[in-house]
Amino acid sequence: VPRNYDPALHPFEVPREYVRALNATKLERVFAKPFIGSLDGHRDGVNCMAKHPKSLSTVLSGACDGEVKIWNLTKRQCIRTIQAHEGFVRGICARFCGTSFFTVGDDKTVKQWKMESPEYGEEEPIHTILGKTVYTGIDHHWKEAVFATCGQQVDIWDEQRTSPMCSLTWGFDSISSVKFNPIETYLLGSCASDRNIVLYDMRKSTPLKKVILNMRTNTLCWNPMEAFIFTAANEDYNLYTFDMRFLESPVMVHMDHVSAVLDVDYSPTGKEFVSASFDKSIRIFPVDKGHSREVYHTKRMQHVITVKWTSDNKYILCGSDEMNIRLWKANASEKLGVLAPREKAAMNYNQKLKEKFQYHPKIRRIAQHRHLPKSIFCQIKEQRIMREARRRKELNRRKHSKPGSVPLVSERKKHIVAVVK
C-alpha cells in the first residue's frame, strides 16, 4: 500500500492512536481473567508436579500422603491414581521418551512406574530401589537412561542398576533439589540447605563450583534456551538469575514476593519464568526485569509449593497446600479458542499500539495496576519502609565516615557471600 507520511496530511494521527492505545490497555485489564479451572482429587497438599515430555495434555502430581495422580488437562480429570509411597512424595519426573516416570518418597525408595494404565489388578512399579537415606528430589537426564537423586548427596543412577554410578558431595548438608541442564545435558545444578548452589559435571564426576548466598535456596531452574543461565528461588523473598560462568554476581535480582519463594519454572521460550511463593501467590517475571509483570492469587489458594509452565507456552499449573492444582493462562487477557482473521489483525494492531505508548504515564498506570490481597499489600508497604530505612542508615554512615571506609555495594552483590571453585 503506498503511504504518504507527510504530517500535514494526517494532523491527528498520534492523538488518535493514543486514544486507541488507551482503550486497548483498558480493555486488556477488563478481559484479564487468568484463572481457568482447578483439578481437585488429592487428599493432601500437592508437593511436586511433572510435565509429560511428549503429551501436552498429561501432567503428573505427587501429594504429601504418598499418592501420585495422572491428569488429563483437556478433560480436567484424573485418569489414574497410584499409592506410590509411605509419607510424602518428595520428587517426581518423567523419562525423556514419556513411557515411564520416577518417584521418590520419604520411605527411602526410588520407584519407576509405567506411564500407561496397567491391566486390571494391583499397580506395581517396574523397578524399586531401596536407598540408605531419604531422597528429597529427582530429575531425569534429557537424552540418556540416567537420572539423579538428591538427599545427603547427589547420586547419579543408571536405570539398569540398583546402585548409583557415582555420588557427588561437597560439604555435609542435605540437598533439597537437583536439576539437569536441558541443553548441556551433562551439567547439573543442586541447592543445599547450607545456602549453597552447587554445579556438577557428570563427565568429570566432580563438583565444578558453588556460590554461597545469604539465605537458603529452595530450588533452581535452567533456562531452556540459554545453556548457561539458571534462576534460583531463595528464602529471602527474591529470585536470582545467574550466568554459571560468572557467579560473582547474579545477572538479575527479581524482587516482588513478600515471603519465601518455593518453586520456579521457565517458559519454553526462555523469555519468562513463573515463581511460586509461601505468600499464597504466583508471579510471572520477564527474565531481564527485576519486577513481575503479573501476579495471580485466589482467596482460597494457600501456600503454593510447586509450579509448572506447560510446554505450549499457554498455561501455568500450580499446586498448593489446600489439595488443589490450579490452571492459569500465561497471558491473562488472551482469548481462548479459534480467532477470526479480523480478530487476529485487531489484536496485533492493539498490541503494537500498547507497545508504542507503553511509557505514557496514564497508559503505564493502567497497564501496571494489579489487585493484591490485603495481606500482601500491607507487607509490600512494610518492606518498602524497611528498605528505605536501611538505605538511609547506610547513606548516613557513609556521610559521617572517612571517605572510602564504607564501600558502595551494588544490590546484585549484596546477597552473595562467596564463590568457591
Side-chain angles (χ1 to χ4, degrees), residues 358-400:
Q358 63 185 339
Y359 297 114
H360 283 241
K362 240 182 184 176
I363 288 179
R364 189 174 173 186
R365 186 186 65 79
I366 294 168
Q368 287 192 344
H369 176 76
R370 296 288 178 276
H371 171 76
L372 289 169
K374 193 174 178 186
S375 59
I376 294 182
F377 184 78
C378 294
Q379 276 174 293
I380 286 176
K381 217 151 87 179
E382 197 178 297
Q383 277 171 20
R384 193 181 297 130
I385 295 166
M386 283 156 66
R387 219 176 8 249
E388 188 52 43
R390 276 198 297 267
R391 194 183 71 87
R392 211 167 45 240
K393 184 175 177 181
E394 197 181 320
L395 282 175
N396 288 342
R397 189 176 288 163
R398 189 169 295 117
K399 197 159 62 178
H400 299 293

Side-chain angles (χ1 to χ4, degrees), residues 109-128:
T109 56
V110 183
K111 295 184 180 179
Q112 183 182 5
W113 309 81
K114 269 206 181 81
M115 194 65 85
E116 289 84 41
S117 300
E119 302 300 317
Y120 182 75
E122 195 58 47
E123 293 239 32
E124 287 296 324
I126 312 172
H127 295 305
T128 304

Side-chain angles (χ1 to χ4, degrees), residues 155-167:
D155 292 326
I156 313 277
W157 306 76
D158 191 310
E159 282 180 17
Q160 263 44 60
R161 293 165 58 179
T162 54
S163 58
M165 294 195 295
C166 67
S167 296

Side-chain angles (χ1 to χ4, degrees), residues 5-24:
Y5 287 106
D6 178 13
L9 288 177
H10 311 281
F12 294 117
E13 184 182 28
V14 174
R16 198 179 298 141
E17 282 194 336
Y18 175 77
V19 171
R20 285 177 188 169
L22 190 62
N23 288 341

Side-chain angles (χ1 to χ4, degrees), residues 141-318:
H141 194 284
W142 290 76
K143 293 196 176 114
E144 294 166 24
V146 172
F147 63 93
T149 60
C150 61
Q152 286 184 359
Q153 62 208 30
V154 172
D155 292 326
I156 313 277
W157 306 76
D158 191 310
E159 282 180 17
Q160 263 44 60
R161 293 165 58 179
T162 54
S163 58
M165 294 195 295
C166 67
S167 296
L168 309 162
T169 50
W170 191 350
F172 303 95
D173 229 315
S174 59
I175 296 159
S176 56
S177 83
V178 61
K179 290 277 161 66
F180 273 101
N181 191 322
I183 305 167
E184 303 290 346
T185 49
Y186 43 79
L187 288 178
L188 299 103
S190 77
C191 311
S193 59
D194 54 359
R195 306 175 304 165
N196 293 346
I197 301 172
V198 189
L199 302 175
Y200 307 94
D201 192 330
M202 220 168 71
R203 300 164 304 179
K204 287 163 61 175
S205 66
T206 54
L208 290 175
K209 44 183 164 180
K210 71 175 169 184
V211 54
I212 307 168
L213 300 175
N214 271 334
M215 286 179 84
R216 196 179 77 204
T217 302
N218 286 315
T219 181
L220 60 88
C221 186
W222 294 93
N223 190 324
M225 286 293 163
E226 297 181 79
F228 301 109
I229 305 290
F230 66 89
T231 296
N234 204 286
E235 282 279 326
D236 63 1
Y237 317 166
N238 299 341
L239 293 114
Y240 301 99
T241 298
F242 284 98
D243 185 325
M244 64 169 281
R245 298 164 295 180
F246 317 108
L247 289 175
E248 284 72 32
S249 78
V251 182
M252 187 58 75
V253 181
H254 309 273
M255 322 167 95
D256 257 346
H257 280 295
V258 293
S259 196
V261 190
L262 299 181
D263 199 11
V264 57
D265 193 37
Y266 264 94
S267 76
T269 58
K271 292 264 188 349
E272 295 181 317
F273 60 84
V274 59
S275 64
S277 169
F278 200 75
D279 63 14
K280 309 178 186 178
S281 69
I282 61 175
R283 286 182 183 266
I284 302 173
F285 291 88
V287 172
D288 51 353
K289 300 271 194 306
H291 293 284
S292 60
R293 71 161 172 87
E294 203 64 81
V295 53
Y296 294 161
H297 53 87
T298 67
K299 278 191 178 154
R300 211 172 271 183
M301 185 154 80
Q302 293 302 310
H303 313 304
V304 194
I305 299 171
T306 170
V307 70
K308 282 277 178 276
W309 196 310
T310 58
S311 307
D312 60 349
N313 199 26
K314 273 193 185 306
Y315 306 104
I316 288 166
L317 290 149
C318 70

